[in-house]
Amino acid sequence: MLQTNFERECDRLSAAVDQVQFERMRWAREEGPMLARLAELTQAAVAEREDYELTEEGSAGNIRRYVLKVHGTRVCAVAVGLVRGQAVMDAEAIERSRFRLAPGDASAISYGDVDEDWIAGALQRVFGRIAAEAA
């Protein structure tokens, strides 16, 4: 979004008066809606699957973290968030899971290019890294 000179000056003064309050307002105006869209798209990707559930657990800042359950069984965590203007999705091992994650890199894309297909592809890469522990 292109800011006018007036808006930039308002932001400068707001930050000078109270940096903490300004940052909260800036985050709510800019990054908050972006993160909400990422979370919505991630949930929507598995919404039609009765066997899959994403439960928010351990989210903080610019990251939404979900525990993936399949057939009610805890499998891994899926983290989606914003890092320097990029949408990022990755997986994390969790406690009480009998599944392990193969090494792999997070999926990342410019936030402006995020859509349902990117979310589905990133989740597919996460799911592809999951394997059952040897008994």
Side-chain angles (χ1 to χ4, degrees):
M1 174 172 89
L2 202 55
Q3 284 190 316
T4 66
N5 289 336
F6 176 72
E7 290 169 332
R8 277 194 294 272
E9 189 59 25
C10 286
D11 285 351
R12 184 202 63 77
L13 180 57
S14 178
V17 170
D18 190 329
Q19 179 65 39
V20 172
Q21 289 294 345
F22 169 74
E23 182 57 27
R24 285 184 186 138
M25 290 176 58
R26 185 206 60 76
W27 190 92
R29 178 180 66 214
E30 297 172 12
E31 294 167 18
M34 294 164 53
L35 189 56
R37 180 170 178 256
L38 287 174
E40 179 182 308
L41 289 171
T42 301
Q43 288 285 356
V46 298
E48 298 297 317
R49 296 293 307 242
E50 292 181 21
D51 48 343
Y52 281 68
E53 178 184 354
L54 290 171
T55 304
E56 191 166 350
E57 187 177 299
S59 294
N62 283 350
I63 303 294
R64 292 294 170 258
R65 185 176 180 270
Y66 301 95
V67 169
L68 170 66
K69 294 180 182 177
V70 180
H71 301 293
T73 301
R74 294 168 58 90
V75 176
C76 71
V78 175
V80 62
L82 298 167
V83 178
R84 293 183 293 283
Q86 294 220 309
V88 178
M89 183 180 290
D90 203 2
E92 303 169 9
I94 59 172
E95 293 180 14
R96 302 186 325 257
S97 175
R98 66 176 193 262
F99 298 89
R100 62 177 174 76
L101 288 171
D105 294 328
S107 296
I109 190 172
S110 172
Y111 177 80
D113 295 327
V114 169
D115 60 12
E116 293 87 356
D117 290 338
W118 182 80
I119 293 287
L123 281 171
Q124 182 179 349
R125 285 186 287 285
V126 165
F127 295 169
R129 292 174 51 202
I130 300 168
E133 292 274 71

